[in-house]
Amino acid sequence: MVRLNNLCKTYGTTKAIEDISFEVNENEIFGLIGPDGAGKTTIMQIVATLLVPDSGIAEVCGMEVNANFKALRKHIGYMPGKFSLYPDLSIEENIEFFAALFGTTVQENYHLVSDIYSQIEPFKDRPAGKLSGGMKQKLALSCALIHKPKLLILDEPTTGVDAVSRKEFWGMLKNLQKKGISILVSTPYMDEAALCDRVALMQSGKILQIDTPQAVVNSFNEVLYAVTSDKVYKMKEYLKHSNYCKNVHLFGQEVHVTLNTGVIDNVVTELKNTGFSNVEIKPINPTVEDCFMKLMVQ
Amino acid sequence: MERFQDIDKADSTVIWVKNMTKKFGKFVANDNLTFSVEKGEIFGFLGANGAGKTTAIRILCGLLSPTSGEAYVAGYDVYKQSEKIKQSIGYMSQKFSLYDDLNMMENIRFFGGIYGLDKKTIEQRTNELIEKFGMQDMQKKLIKDIPLGWKQKIAFSIAVLHKPKVVFLDEPTGGVDPITRRQFWDLINETAEMGITVFVTTHYMDEAEYCNRVSIMSEGKIIELGKPKDLKEKHQVNSIDELFFKVARNVNY
């Protein structure tokens, strides 16, 4: 569906993306995972035919993006990170406008958006600028889908969205996938990587790793331990300076630790001798966030 | 006069809220909130989008008056002493932190000036910051050319430059990489140990675990309030993430 070869883009002296190559398969949910400044938006804008790379080739549906941008826009639905609909048009006017732009009607493709649009349809006369964040998002997604695109590009759709609503949004994406749509989506939330078929972990314009979430986790290649005690923050500070420990990161109520040397029993003894109580330690499966942090320091 | 006895304790109670309600027309954004936050505490203010967190924060920052009920911040009344409150607090968010087209030094001077710090104090705090972050190379760079993670750490330090009684952090780590996100929480812990109260909102549920106490808002009400450990035991869940899914609703989002 998407094929990128050696894409580069520079703004002034800042290299936004460097030598980016990957493919998105038909009917796949492909995630660009990384913090702000990783280059996610630049890649998406190139794929969406909105930005010309300095070098490299981007293809969508087998067509080179620059030469075929007009033809490709029929096949691409794009939801930018910033709300970009017309605030003084109503919900209904916005979706009808986008349908008309692409030479179709809301009725014709209603089946594609019905799950999402029906949630905001009761308020269809309300101006888009007066909607809550969640309603804006549902409208933007409906407008990006109304011309029945083959590829849906979503730039950080869940940023600033609470944990419950984020889960619901991913449910909607899974349903769209079942309808045959390929999805390129970006997110700074590492836990959302697990919901993609494949991910590219990105940092400062570069791809750190591309694979299925399971394979990313499998490549961690070290035993990871979760340590808990009655004073987790103080224990984290202590472990950071312990000779036994290599990488030490706070993870909610646990500290995730990999070992430099020795066995895990040494660490337990050390902690107990230092006065930490209720020390518990167990080997765990790493998360994508563990892997991301490991790749960052390498 | 229970309230005045409580205000006498303003030294240890930094935020004191009783039956606070805020209505916009017929819509009840904050419904009878009651809670207090102690000196040096890290207080997590959680809730789904649209639950009423932003309204409460705006009231506590002296930017909005409640419709009814009482609220005191740093010992000052939100109805009558909002200017005093503004001088006693720090604020930063993901959306607004520093001025992009000023460099770091200029930002420090600007905010220091606004908070009424004298030249000597500003210079001294600036040097402390540069040393702490090892930012010698960065001080003349425009903020827009500094990576987000750094920018947020600097913004936080500037938000507490005037040693406020409490600092409000509204999604301070949104979009920040996972290592810097954790360094940011190191800063939060240091600040709380200095006796500055930290009032923080976040969508990262792992960060909720780092708070001394958390509240969860839903439909304008506080539906849970307590230490993470106690709340998890009460609901028999393993994490705040699980608790959030169990109790938080997002009807207004």
Side-chain angles (χ1 to χ4, degrees), chain A residues 263-283:
Chain A
V263 292
I264 199 65
D265 293 345
N266 299 135
V267 179
V268 179
T269 312
E270 201 179 55
L271 285 171
K272 282 181 179 160
N273 291 343
T274 316
F276 290 98
S277 47
N278 298 321
V279 177
E280 281 180 40
I281 203 156
K282 59 173 190 242

Side-chain angles (χ1 to χ4, degrees), chain A residues 18 22 40 49 58 62 74-75 78 99 112 132 134 163 175 184-185 191 208 238 268 278 285 296-297:
Chain A
E18 269 185 272
F22 64 82
K40 308 184 299 291
T49 77
K74 290 192 192 85
H75 303 306
Y78 172 54
L112 254 184
S132 73
N175 282 335
L184 176 62
V185 57
D191 56 342
L208 304 171
Y238 182 83
V268 179
N278 298 321
N285 292 320
M296 276 178 78
V297 292

Side-chain angles (χ1 to χ4, degrees), chain A residues 36 101 214 266 273 275:
Chain A
D36 286 16
L101 267 188
Q214 191 56 49
N266 299 135
N273 291 343

